[in-house]
Amino acid sequence: MAATAIETIHPAQGSPTRYKGNGSFETANGTLYVSKPYRSRNSKKLRALITFAPRNSTFDMNNEDSTKNEFRGFFTLFWTSIFIFTVRTYVRTMETDGRPLNLRFAASFSQDAIILALSDAVLVGSTFICVPFVKAMQKGWISYYWTGVILQHLLQTTILFGAISWTFNRNWPWVQSGFLTLHSLVMIMKMHSYITVNGQLQQVKLSSDAAFSRLQKAAESSGGWEKAVDIAQAHHAEAQEKASITPIATTTSTHEPTPIGTPPVPEGLETSYVDVGTANALRKRLTAIQQTRSDSSTSSTEGYSGSGNFTYNGNGAAGMDVHGLHSDHEDGDEEEVPEVLKPHSLIYHPDSEISALAKEYSDLRSELVSSGPLYLSWPENVTWKNFGVYQLVPTLVYELEYPRTDKIRPLYVFEKTVATFGTFALLYSVTETWILPFTPTREQPFYRSLLDLALPFMIAYLMVFYIIFECICNGFAELSYFADRQFYEDWVSIRLLWNSTSWDEFARKWNKPVHTFLLRHIYSATRKSYKISKTSAMFLTFFASALAHELVMAIVTKKLRMYLFILQLIQIPLIMVGRIPAIKRNKILGNIVFWIGIYAGLPLLCVAYIAY
């Protein structure tokens, strides 16, 4: 695990790793801490405790950073204004129509509700075909490259267009058609990630077996397997004896006594134990990366590049003062490194060829294991239960193991449920009163349609965003014990979403689940497989995203106009223009252009698809 603790920290898209002053580092999945070196009461060996604190979403009431932010009042102001606006709408409608709302829209989107629910259940159920598919790969009946890849895409295409054909067959209104199409795309992305990750792990397992076979042959040629193991263990023991004579360098002051006993840990956090050398190396690496990112903070990030944050899978961190916190760890009960994560004993063999083969085998074997706390190993993850939990987890990228919480909070689920239905009621009021009556026509002046719909569309957009990414995603995260709650980024952080100055910055931050999928399975995959440039990979990523968006619009409006497709591709040259230093330095101008684009874009698309 010594190597794993460091290697699981790797660059990912987002803002740089940030040192928080108390010794902790913010990473892509949460906050990492490393305790000062300490000695167990039952052992003289110096160790360090690595702790991982998962993230809450920005608007979560449990998020301490949000409650301390100086802009938190805008959140309250927004909802207060929306409430007053809604009450005014109800009063106005009562005075004119004798009732607070016209329910014609409700009758429309509730049409065929039972059939829609059953259709969605069949859609979700059809994705479970991934499990026998991966089991076939596990047994060697299917090789992922390239038979599995071809079958995978045929399967995904069949399910997607089967769902689309069904929406046309039922002749559903735009709400039902849009919902089933969007959910189909979500399920396809989940299927793709699940099969792709397991297919890649199949290749790693084959490479691991081949490396072990070569290792066995090398050991046999040097006098036999058992003899080679004995030589390696003796060589390792000799090296450890020499190392024990040399004083161990630590980052603590020589005037401070070494703490005795396991440091206390906040309840519910993930922990790992590593040697002092690994902890120091991890801390230095995070500090160095943070310094590097600070020195180059003026440089922009690629639209879908892999530079920026660090992701954490359960094993790494940097310094935390944990004195005074409650601990459930007793001395002597410290977590031991799983056998599968320990380097093979032949890695210490004096023969360089055997040692290199053992290292290669150990590295490949570690790729097949999650980084804790369950240390799930492939193919143990290929089960119906594992896939079912993955379907509940609000992420589009499959991992062997995710950061987890230790319990479900019923009041939290209740809070998100009430927030979902309450916000939906407000959304319905805005749609029924301020959008549908102003549906654009060809006879109406173009500019008047934009003026009528700009503000209602913006309010509806913000409420849809809140329902999906704050309420629904957090609700499912709680039910599935999913700890990484950053489904969107930078509303009230270093750079605010309402302060976005470029389209690539906005695209990276407003929808993290889809962005992460595009980053891993399109941008990074095309760069790795086809050795193309960053610009070409970014174009392919935007192209795929634009096609998916245009597909939804074509099904909802039953028109193929390509307006949204073209507007999305236009973002690429706009991103390039936005990176010109003279424009990039003018934050106010960039922010004005960004908001004008958002305000105009939504009603513009509505007018274009409905009236033309």
Side-chain angles (χ1 to χ4, degrees):
M1 191 173 87
T4 307
I6 296 179
E7 290 170 1
T8 52
I9 310 293
H10 57 84
Q13 180 59 42
S15 57
T17 299
R18 290 187 290 140
Y19 186 72
K20 296 181 66 178
N22 64 348
S24 62
F25 286 86
E26 289 187 359
T27 71
N29 288 350
T31 304
L32 296 172
Y33 308 92
V34 171
S35 71
K36 295 179 180 180
Y38 71 95
R39 297 186 191 276
S40 169
R41 298 184 189 278
N42 300 325
S43 171
K44 295 182 179 180
K45 183 178 179 181
L46 278 173
R47 308 184 78 178
L49 176 66
I50 295 178
T51 309
F52 172 60
R55 298 176 300 194
N56 291 315
S57 62
T58 301
F59 290 137
D60 196 319
M61 291 193 299
N62 298 311
N63 190 330
E64 294 182 1
D65 291 337
S66 297
T67 57
K68 295 176 183 177
N69 189 276
E70 61 269 28
F71 291 101
R72 63 189 180 277
F74 280 99
F75 180 67
T76 305
L77 174 63
F78 172 80
W79 286 113
T80 303
S81 302
I82 290 296
F83 176 76
I84 295 173
F85 178 77
T86 305
V87 171
R88 173 185 175 277
T89 300
Y90 290 160
V91 172
R92 177 178 173 273
T93 308
M94 279 288 294
E95 292 174 346
T96 57
D97 300 336
R99 53 185 177 180
L101 278 177
N102 186 330
L103 298 179
R104 285 194 299 268
F105 181 48
S108 174
F109 73 70
S110 61
Q111 174 186 328
D112 246 3
I114 296 178
I115 299 298
L116 177 63
L118 292 175
S119 302
D120 194 55
V122 171
L123 169 66
V124 174
S126 67
T127 64
F128 278 79
I129 196 175
C130 292
V131 179
F133 187 93
V134 174
K135 284 183 177 291
M137 291 195 299
Q138 171 196 340
K139 296 179 182 298
W141 299 343
I142 301 175
S143 176
Y144 183 66
Y145 295 109
W146 290 95
T147 305
V149 171
I150 295 172
L151 293 176
Q152 169 190 2
H153 286 85
L154 287 174
L155 177 63
Q156 293 168 184
T157 303
T158 301
I159 291 178
L160 176 61
F161 284 96
I164 292 172
S165 301
W166 182 244
T167 64
F168 281 101
N169 177 270
R170 299 298 303 178
N171 196 29
W172 277 327
W174 65 273
V175 175
Q176 290 89 325
S177 299
F179 168 77
L180 192 64
T181 303
L182 285 171
H183 202 200
S184 299
L185 289 171
V186 169
M187 292 295 101
I188 293 304
M189 286 189 280
K190 276 184 166 283
M191 290 176 63
H192 181 85
S193 187
Y194 181 81
I195 296 175
T196 298
V197 170
N198 280 284
Q200 292 168 347
L201 291 176
Q202 179 203 42
Q203 300 305 305
V204 173
K205 182 65 166 63
L206 294 175
S207 299
S208 173
D209 293 342
F212 185 69
S213 179
R214 295 196 303 272
L215 178 61
Q216 284 181 312
K217 292 180 180 178
E220 291 297 333
S221 64
S222 66
W225 180 266
E226 293 183 1
K227 182 179 179 181
V229 171
D230 291 340
I231 293 174
Q233 290 175 344
H235 189 262
H236 181 47
E238 182 182 349
Q240 282 187 315
E241 184 177 351
K242 290 180 180 179
S244 64
I245 300 174
T246 305
I248 299 176
T250 69
T251 57
T252 57
S253 169
T254 55
H255 300 288
E256 293 184 26
T258 301
I260 303 296
T262 305
V265 180
E267 184 179 357
L269 302 190
E270 298 183 17
T271 59
S272 299
Y273 297 86
V274 297
D275 60 85
V276 174
T278 297
N280 288 339
L282 182 60
R283 187 184 293 109
K284 288 177 181 178
R285 179 170 180 180
L286 287 169
T287 304
I289 294 296
Q290 186 272 337
Q291 183 61 45
T292 300
R293 295 293 300 169
S294 297
D295 293 342
S296 59
S297 59
T298 56
S299 62
S300 64
T301 307
E302 290 290 338
Y304 283 96
S305 72
S307 61
N309 263 8
F310 292 87
T311 57
Y312 175 73
N313 297 324
N315 280 329
M320 167 188 179
D321 182 7
V322 292
H323 297 292
L325 297 175
H326 174 70
S327 174
D328 293 328
H329 293 269
E330 299 291 339
D331 291 321
D333 295 333
E334 297 173 355
E335 174 186 339
E336 293 298 327
V337 179
E339 190 66 32
V340 72
L341 286 180
K342 294 179 181 178
H344 195 277
S345 58
L346 287 181
I347 201 173
Y348 307 110
H349 199 282
D351 187 293
S352 59
E353 179 187 1
I354 294 178
S355 177
L357 286 171
K359 184 179 185 306
E360 178 186 358
Y361 171 65
S362 298
D363 290 344
L364 289 169
R365 186 175 61 170
S366 67
E367 291 183 33
L368 298 171
V369 185
S370 66
S371 50
L374 298 179
Y375 301 103
L376 196 62
S377 178
W378 193 87
E380 294 173 2
N381 63 299
V382 187
T383 64
W384 298 101
K385 179 182 177 180
N386 180 272
F387 185 81
V389 171
Y390 168 59
Q391 286 290 63
L392 283 175
V393 170
T395 180
L396 301 177
V397 175
Y398 179 74
E399 301 283 357
L400 289 176
E401 189 176 354
Y402 297 100
R404 307 304 295 271
T405 57
D406 58 351
K407 62 182 178 181
I408 294 176
R409 297 166 291 177
L411 287 179
Y412 183 88
V413 176
F414 177 75
E415 172 202 329
K416 295 305 177 185
T417 303
V418 171
T420 298
F421 286 101
T423 308
F424 181 80
L426 297 176
L427 174 63
Y428 179 88
S429 301
V430 171
T431 304
E432 178 75 56
T433 308
W434 298 102
I435 294 180
L436 294 181
F438 298 93
T439 301
T441 63
R442 292 196 176 206
E443 292 74 26
Q444 186 176 6
F446 185 78
Y447 76 91
R448 182 57 189 269
S449 296
L450 291 182
L451 288 176
D452 288 342
L453 294 173
L455 183 59
F457 260 111
M458 178 56 67
I459 295 174
Y461 169 76
L462 293 175
M463 286 193 286
V464 168
F465 173 91
Y466 183 79
I467 290 173
I468 294 175
F469 295 105
E470 177 60 32
C471 300
I472 296 178
C473 284
N474 269 304
F476 275 95
E478 188 71 16
L479 293 173
S480 60
Y481 299 90
F482 185 61
D484 183 16
R485 308 291 174 90
Q486 193 180 58
F487 307 114
Y488 51 91
E489 188 179 356
D490 280 352
W491 278 81
V492 285
S493 188
I494 299 175
R495 288 180 295 179
L496 309 179
L497 180 57
W498 50 68
N499 285 343
S500 292
T501 57
S502 64
W503 293 107
D504 57 331
E505 180 183 352
F506 174 74
R508 290 195 306 269
K509 296 176 180 179
W510 86 278
N511 187 342
K512 295 291 287 184
V514 170
H515 170 73
T516 304
F517 177 87
L518 295 174
L519 174 65
R520 175 175 295 189
H521 292 296
I522 298 183
Y523 179 87
S524 298
T526 52
R527 290 207 67 202
K528 180 179 179 181
S529 300
Y530 304 109
K531 311 299 180 185
I532 60 177
S533 65
K534 291 182 178 180
T535 303
S536 299
M538 183 175 69
F539 173 79
L540 289 175
T541 304
F542 271 97
F543 186 83
S545 177
L547 280 178
H549 282 79
E550 184 60 39
L551 175 66
V552 175
M553 293 303 297
I555 293 169
V556 167
T557 63
K558 295 179 172 58
K559 297 178 182 179
L560 186 61
R561 294 292 187 267
M562 305 301 287
Y563 299 138
L564 181 54
F565 177 82
I566 294 171
L567 285 176
Q568 282 211 275
L569 290 187
I570 288 176
Q571 291 183 47
I572 299 177
L574 289 178
I575 289 172
M576 301 301 180
V577 172
R579 290 175 181 169
I580 297 174
I583 297 178
K584 187 177 180 180
R585 285 194 296 266
N586 196 330
K587 299 293 185 182
I588 296 178
L589 177 61
N591 188 238
I592 291 173
V593 172
F594 165 75
W595 275 118
I596 290 176
I598 292 292
Y599 255 109
L602 296 171
L604 178 64
L605 287 171
C606 176
V607 174
Y609 277 99
I610 293 178
Y612 300 96

